[in-house]
């Protein structure tokens, strides 16, 4: 190295240090003026995740950075629920093999797009038609061995109708979820709950919203209409009183159940119904089985009932009205049309 370079080194270093200092000051000034570029953007973004309101107030030209969330409509397992029997039920993972012990639950599973998860159904499940291909596990008397043989990871049942089967299956270590909705709103909520259980939340919500729309349609149609006295006979010689969804259906459809002073299902008192003098009589269409309508037409004195005299004895579809499932509001609409045909 020559003497000239040796003498110029101090001045070179001084110039270099000055340049670095000027650059540093410029960068600091840029950050202080609110510049969101480069490293400043990363730092401010991290801070905003701790204090989102402050970020939104200052960064008017930026979309807020939202924390990453679980996909909408996904169920987190294990899922713990308390069913209608008061039992805490733990569903470890998304059910792949579900057995339904009642037609209403079968209809729910199909309506929310869970048909491929259905491993078996009860003998009375007949809707939709595709269910005909599913293995059967008995009627009101559930074949416990048949259920177990299907190796289900979940059985869905009715708390009252399947009470003994629920108990027997639980003793065998089978996971059983029992329900017993008593109103239309409870039925709709139950459909949404089944959607959560089998991880079909979006589909279940769509079914629920459609039912709520149908319910509102009926309520708007019969609003202000005169309340008519209604007698229901949905099983030969039997009627239904308060506390059951069919009693609510009559009320929502603009009627008053003449048997509503008693609770549950019970054998009807022919004389009591005669004295109540209903304006409308509703019974289920059982196809070739005319037992109910034949009885109505042959009971002593019933020809004097207003409903009989005025031709207001109506058959309605059976299954939608006796199953607390997705077709229940269809049944409500049919009953409302029978009671107040002028409103539809």
């Amino acid at each position: 190295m020559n003497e000239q370079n040796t003498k110029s080194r101090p001045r070179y270093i001084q110039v270099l240090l000055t340049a670095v200092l000027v650059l540093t000051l410029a960068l600091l000034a840029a950050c202080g003026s609110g510049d969101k570029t480069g490293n400043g953007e990363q730092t401010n973004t991290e801070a905003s995740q701790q204090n989102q309101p402050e970020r939104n107030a200052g960064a008017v030209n930026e979309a807020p950075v939202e924390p990453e969330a679980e996909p909408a409509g996904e169920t987190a397992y294990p899922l713990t629920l308390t069913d209608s029997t008061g039992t805490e039920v733990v569903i470890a993972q998304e059910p792949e093999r579900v057995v339904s012990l009642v037609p209403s639950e079968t209809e729910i599973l199909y309506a929310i797009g869970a048909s491929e998860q259905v491993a078996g159904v009860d003998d009375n499940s007949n809707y939709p038609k595709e269910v005909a291909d599913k293995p059967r596990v008995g009627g009101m008397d559930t074949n416990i061995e048949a259920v177990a043989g299907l190796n289900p990871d979940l059985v869905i049942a009715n708390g009252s109708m399947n009470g003994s089967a629920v108990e027997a299956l639980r003793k065998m270590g089978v996971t059983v979820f029992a329900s017993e909705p008593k109103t239309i709103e409870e039925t709709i909520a139950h459909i949404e709950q089944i959607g959560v259980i089998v991880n079909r939340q979006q589909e279940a919500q769509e079914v629920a919203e459609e039912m709520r729309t149908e319910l509102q349609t009926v309520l708007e149609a019969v609003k202000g209409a005169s309340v008519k006295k209604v007698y229901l006979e949905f099983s030969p010689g039997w009627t239904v009183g308060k506390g059951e969804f069919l009693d609510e259906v009559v009320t929502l459809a603009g009627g008053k159940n003449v048997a509503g002073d008693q609770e549950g299902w019970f054998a009807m008192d022919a004389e009591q119904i005669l004295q109540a003098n209903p304006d409308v009589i509703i019974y289920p269409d059982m196809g070739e089985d005319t037992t109910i309508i034949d009885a109505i037409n042959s009971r002593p004195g019933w020809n004097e009932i207003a409903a009989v005299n005025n031709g207001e004895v109506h058959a309605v579809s059976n299954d939608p009205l006796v199953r607390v499932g997705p077709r229940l509001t269809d049944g409500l609409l049919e009953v409302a049309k029978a009671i107040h045909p002028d409103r539809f």
Side-chain angles (χ1 to χ4, degrees), residues 41 43 110 118 173 182 251 254-255 271 293 309 311-312 316-317 331 344:
E41 180 179 12
T43 302
Y110 272 80
V118 178
K182 293 288 189 181
T251 301
E271 184 62 28
I293 187 60
N309 271 328
E312 296 292 341
V316 297
S317 302
F344 296 91

Side-chain angles (χ1 to χ4, degrees), residues 132-150:
D133 298 330
K134 296 294 183 179
R136 302 284 157 162
V137 295
M140 294 299 295
D141 295 323
T142 304
N143 186 329
I144 303 301
E145 290 74 19
V147 175
L150 293 173

Side-chain angles (χ1 to χ4, degrees), residues 168-213:
L169 288 167
R170 283 176 173 163
K171 287 181 179 179
M172 297 173 63
V174 177
T175 301
V176 182
F177 184 83
S179 68
E180 197 167 357
K182 293 288 189 181
T183 67
I184 290 180
E185 280 296 341
E186 286 180 7
T187 299
I188 294 173
H190 174 61
I191 291 171
E192 292 177 315
Q193 186 176 52
I194 293 297
V196 173
I197 290 173
V198 300
N199 200 20
R200 293 290 183 274
Q201 294 190 41
Q202 181 62 39
E203 295 90 337
Q205 186 177 17
E206 290 172 1
V207 172
E209 288 306 312
E210 183 177 353
M211 292 181 70
R212 289 190 176 104
T213 298

Side-chain angles (χ1 to χ4, degrees), residues 60-71:
V60 294
N61 294 321
E62 287 187 52
V65 177
E66 298 291 344
E68 188 173 345
E70 291 185 25

Side-chain angles (χ1 to χ4, degrees), residues 64 199 217 299 303:
N199 200 20
T217 297
R299 287 172 185 148
N303 60 319

